[in-house]
Amino acid sequence: LLRFQPKKVLKGKVEHSIRGARLWKGLVIFQYSVSILLIVLTLVVQKQLKFLQDRDLGISLSQVLTVYAPAAKEEGYWNQVDLLRDQLKDSPLVSEITGHSYLPGESLRHVELFQLAGRDINDAVIMKYQPIDLEYFQLFDISFLAGQDFVPGVSTRRDGMVGDVILNEAAIQALGINTPDEAINRDIVLRHSFGALSNIRIRGVVRDYSQLALAESNFPMAFILGRDTHWSHDSEFISFKLSTSDIEASVNLVSEAYKKAFPEDSFQYFFADDSYNHAYQSHTRFGKLVGLFCLLSIGLAVFGLIGVSTHTVRKKLREIAIRKVHGASVLRIVKMLLGSVMALVVLGFAVAVPLCYFLSDLWLQNFADRISLSVEMLAIPLVSILVISIGTVLHHSLKAALINPINIIRDE
């Protein structure tokens, strides 16, 4: 723009030059491209977030109140947990209570090698595992495919370190077991990271569920009864399944029972679904931000289209007058003016499509479970821009086509 000479600009020669016409068309195409790009990104972000919220997690987090377990655990810690369970078992406000080392949505830091008994060490599988308490699967509504849950009062410990194990679907597939039923009572070897070996048995198989909100969810997982292992003090949380919508009364009830069981510890609670959904907050903010820019872009595009259509009509007033004198119909003149603007819209769309695919795919790579880009995501913004373009250009085109040619030529 700085290269243009002021004298030529003031005389209107720049616009009619080849360089000026290219610049004008280039800016219009750029505006259309940005508008289409932002609309597509908004659709992709909103659709992906809705997909994540509506998908089947394989786990129920609704009405789950979670409390931080005492940091310092005495030898009788699990007896205190059972005391807490006994206090609340007859209450209509709470249905299940369990302890666990990790929250749904949290990465599991316990990692060990598991292999089927009699197999070579090269067949060992790296699994993440979680020490849990009784009623864990019942509270979080994680369904069993085969076998059974841990039973109160029945120890499964086979050596001085760990007892029987419950695996998920991904774990038995990684071990090379075909079906959940075939896995039950199979002997496996747990190779601890510090060198010890534990000969244990598969007690049950549960359905895969999304332990992590955004990353890969179907990875091999093992569950051991925390109170029945060498790591019996690893429990970090105690969760309560609330069976009423009266949240305040439920929280007060749990708080009183907790303070009786652990009088020296503070009662700090939160809800499991809020913790799980925290992972989506940055993406939700991003979606809102993109949506705001999309609205601004559409607003600018509308004003730009009005300007483009007005300018296009003004440039072609003499041509319109001459065509009308030679018998051109109003419809033919409107088609001519629409065609010149529609060509810029189509070019803008062609520029935007590769960028839409690249940026959308780049953002969707943050998710293990993700939507696929569909034709409708590209068709909606194109149709939207076309409707706006046709409406604005049609208005000005009809207005110009109905002007008396004599008035146009006289003014020129």
Side-chain angles (χ1 to χ4, degrees):
L1 287 171
L2 292 173
R3 281 195 231 149
F4 292 131
Q5 297 177 16
K7 181 174 67 175
K8 291 184 178 180
V9 172
L10 293 172
K11 288 183 177 181
K13 292 183 178 180
V14 171
E15 184 182 357
H16 297 290
S17 67
I18 295 176
R19 189 159 56 128
R22 285 177 179 173
L23 175 65
W24 180 80
K25 289 180 180 179
L27 291 174
V28 173
I29 292 170
F30 175 75
Q31 180 180 333
Y32 288 150
S33 299
V34 171
S35 300
I36 292 170
L37 177 63
L38 285 174
I39 295 173
V40 170
L41 288 178
T42 301
L43 291 173
V44 170
V45 170
Q46 298 300 329
K47 194 166 184 178
Q48 174 64 19
L49 291 177
K50 189 175 187 307
F51 168 76
L52 292 175
Q53 292 170 357
D54 296 343
R55 66 178 173 157
D56 181 12
L57 299 175
I59 183 172
S60 174
L61 304 176
S62 177
Q63 299 276 94
V64 176
L65 175 72
T66 301
V67 180
Y68 289 101
K73 299 178 179 67
E74 304 295 335
E75 285 298 322
Y77 168 72
W78 288 109
N79 292 330
Q80 291 174 289
V81 173
D82 288 336
L83 173 63
L84 180 61
R85 182 179 281 112
D86 290 338
Q87 291 183 67
L88 297 172
K89 67 179 180 180
D90 296 326
S91 171
L93 303 181
V94 179
S95 55
E96 289 92 28
I97 301 170
T98 191
H100 46 103
S101 296
Y102 299 98
L103 293 168
E106 187 179 16
S107 179
L108 307 184
R109 295 179 297 278
H110 287 80
V111 181
E112 298 290 5
L113 276 174
F114 291 78
Q115 72 181 79
L116 286 174
R119 296 282 182 89
D120 189 81
I121 189 173
N122 294 323
D123 297 325
V125 176
I126 298 175
M127 293 189 196
K128 294 186 177 183
Y129 72 94
Q130 174 168 201
I132 61 172
D133 191 26
L134 305 169
E135 299 183 347
Y136 179 85
F137 300 108
Q138 188 178 353
L139 185 144
F140 287 108
D141 197 20
I142 301 170
S143 57
F144 270 78
L145 300 177
Q148 60 180 336
D149 199 353
F150 299 113
V151 179
V154 179
S155 175
T156 63
R157 183 178 288 196
R158 296 181 179 277
D159 57 21
M161 302 186 70
V162 67
D164 285 350
V165 65
I166 295 174
L167 304 179
N168 68 344
E169 293 175 89
I172 65 168
Q173 290 171 5
L175 288 170
I177 302 174
N178 296 322
T179 65
D181 290 324
E182 291 180 20
I184 304 306
N185 293 326
R186 291 286 293 271
D187 292 324
I188 59 175
V189 177
L190 169 55
R191 294 181 171 273
H192 298 280
S193 55
F194 47 86
L197 299 179
S198 290
N199 295 303
I200 57 179
R201 186 172 292 171
I202 300 175
R203 181 182 184 85
V205 178
V206 295
R207 177 187 174 194
D208 283 338
Y209 70 92
S210 297
Q211 169 64 26
L212 302 179
L214 300 177
E216 182 182 359
S217 55
N218 295 332
F219 52 83
M221 293 173 61
F223 303 88
I224 56 176
L225 188 60
R227 62 172 66 200
D228 206 21
T229 68
H230 178 70
W231 300 275
S232 61
H233 291 170
D234 277 2
S235 180
E236 300 292 333
F237 307 97
I238 303 173
S239 289
F240 306 81
K241 184 72 170 183
L242 307 183
S243 52
T244 176
S245 58
D246 191 349
I247 302 300
E248 184 177 358
S250 300
V251 172
N252 291 335
L253 177 68
V254 172
S255 176
E256 291 175 6
Y258 182 88
K259 289 174 182 177
K260 288 181 181 178
F262 304 100
E264 297 180 358
D265 291 278
S266 61
F267 179 74
Q268 303 178 55
Y269 75 93
F270 55 91
F271 288 93
D273 53 355
D274 291 337
S275 174
Y276 191 88
N277 292 331
H278 182 75
Y280 301 115
Q281 287 185 0
S282 61
H283 296 289
T284 302
R285 287 195 295 268
F286 176 71
K288 291 179 179 177
L289 188 63
V290 171
L292 175 61
F293 276 108
C294 179
L295 290 175
L296 291 173
S297 175
I298 292 173
L300 290 173
V302 171
F303 286 114
L305 285 168
I306 293 172
V308 168
S309 59
T310 304
H311 189 67
T312 302
V313 170
R314 282 183 179 176
K315 285 196 305 180
K316 294 182 177 292
L317 281 176
R318 182 183 294 178
E319 182 181 346
I320 291 170
I322 294 172
R323 286 179 179 273
K324 286 196 72 175
V325 169
H326 283 80
S329 64
V330 173
L331 181 60
R332 187 170 181 179
I333 292 172
V334 170
K335 283 183 177 180
M336 175 195 72
L337 295 174
L338 277 173
S340 60
V341 175
M342 292 303 102
L344 299 179
V345 175
V346 173
L347 285 172
F349 180 75
V351 172
V353 167
L355 283 173
C356 291
Y357 268 104
F358 174 74
L359 293 176
S360 297
D361 185 68
L362 188 65
W363 183 72
L364 288 172
Q365 287 177 11
N366 293 308
F367 306 92
D369 297 325
R370 53 187 242 178
I371 61 171
S372 56
L373 296 175
S374 59
V375 176
E376 66 177 20
M377 292 182 186
L378 298 173
I380 289 174
L382 176 62
V383 171
S384 302
I385 295 294
L386 282 175
V387 168
I388 295 171
S389 302
I390 291 172
T392 52
V393 174
L394 193 61
H395 171 73
H396 288 87
S397 299
L398 286 171
K399 191 175 178 180
L402 295 172
I403 296 176
N404 191 329
I406 297 174
N407 295 333
I408 295 174
I409 296 171
R410 182 175 58 195
D411 292 337
E412 289 290 330

